[in-house]
Amino acid sequence: FFDPGEVLYAYDSPAGYGLMGLQLVAYVWFFAVPVMALIANFGIPRWAREKIVNGIQLGIHLYAHIVFLVRTTRTCSCRPLRLSIEFALFKSHYCHSHT
């Protein structure tokens, strides 16, 4: 694993690598909207543009809602409690070992 004392900056740890991955996903997500707008303006005929773009956006929203629903209900109901207990134990151990 890693020693928290050797971390020089925020991204120099496994959590930092996770943050960098999330930032990369966010950049891809936010660049997708202008790309979709350019494709809609120059690649789809005017008479069909509104229905196609609205259908794509509604499909993306539906997919996001389904993913969120599956991710939050797939596990047992004790998961949030277990995570909060593990976080409290980690915080307790980390604070007491570095004071």
Side-chain angles (χ1 to χ4, degrees):
F1 298 84
F2 76 102
D3 181 16
E6 294 180 1
V7 175
L8 298 177
Y9 62 102
Y11 298 116
D12 192 20
S13 67
Y17 296 139
L19 287 174
M20 286 189 284
L22 287 174
Q23 285 180 341
L24 179 65
V25 169
Y27 289 141
V28 170
W29 181 263
F30 288 118
F31 282 127
V33 174
V35 169
M36 191 173 92
L38 288 173
I39 291 171
N41 280 333
F42 300 112
I44 301 174
R46 291 185 81 152
W47 59 270
R49 188 175 300 160
E50 180 184 2
K51 286 186 179 183
I52 292 173
V53 171
N54 283 339
I56 291 171
Q57 287 180 342
L58 289 174
I60 291 171
H61 290 174
L62 177 65
Y63 174 75
H65 280 87
I66 290 171
V67 168
F68 181 73
L69 180 68
V70 169
R71 300 267 309 167
T72 56
T73 60
R74 184 173 48 175
T75 59
C76 69
S77 62
C78 62
R79 183 173 183 219
L81 178 62
R82 188 187 81 222
L83 290 177
S84 64
I85 290 172
E86 289 174 358
F87 177 75
L89 292 173
F90 172 77
K91 186 176 176 183
S92 170
H93 173 72
Y94 184 79
C95 291
H96 291 301
S97 65
H98 294 291
T99 54

